[in-house]
Amino acid sequence: AVGLFAMAAIPVMTTKLTVQSLHRGQALLLALMKLEELEGATSVSSVTEQADRTNPRYALSWNKIEGLGGAADVLRVIVFWDDVRGVRRELMVERAVSSFAAETARDDK
């Protein structure tokens, strides 16, 4: 009976892990898309801290961390969502960028 009970829990746990993986993958995709948008659509120097809640499941927040002493600036995007148990999760992606990245991207078009 104990063995059967443990085996019955396997499909439930597998489904939960699959859903968690899908949410994390979607969050990563949203974060990378926002990084690309920030790099290409605006001047990196004009990026300010902002948030977006247009997606019903995910909330995005982004900002720029100023580089010190000639170092590259860092763009940071954080995606928040609630997992299948209702626990708040977050995924953070950062990318170092040159202040000239947007201007160079526009010149290449």
Side-chain angles (χ1 to χ4, degrees):
V2 173
L4 290 176
F5 182 70
M7 288 178 60
I10 290 173
V12 173
M13 293 303 295
T14 303
T15 302
K16 284 182 180 179
L17 289 173
T18 301
V19 170
Q20 287 177 357
S21 177
L22 289 172
H23 285 294
R24 185 171 300 279
Q26 182 69 27
L28 179 59
L29 180 62
L30 289 169
L32 292 174
M33 287 172 53
K34 179 52 78 174
L35 278 176
E36 292 295 321
E37 178 184 328
L38 291 173
E39 279 187 309
T42 63
S43 171
V44 173
S45 61
S46 69
V47 172
T48 59
E49 186 167 343
Q50 295 184 35
D52 179 12
R53 184 66 185 187
T54 56
N55 187 307
R57 179 171 299 276
Y58 302 94
L60 280 82
S61 173
W62 60 90
N63 66 350
K64 178 185 70 172
I65 302 166
E66 299 280 338
L68 299 175
D73 294 336
V74 175
L75 293 176
R76 174 185 292 161
V77 176
I78 305 173
V79 181
F80 303 93
W81 73 97
D82 295 329
D83 70 6
V84 293
R85 297 173 300 182
V87 176
R88 190 74 164 167
R89 300 289 181 185
E90 69 178 56
L91 179 131
M92 180 175 58
V93 178
E94 294 180 337
R95 183 181 294 167
V97 294
S98 162
S99 59
F100 302 105
E103 290 80 4
T104 304
R106 278 194 291 274
D107 289 345
D108 289 344
K109 291 181 181 177

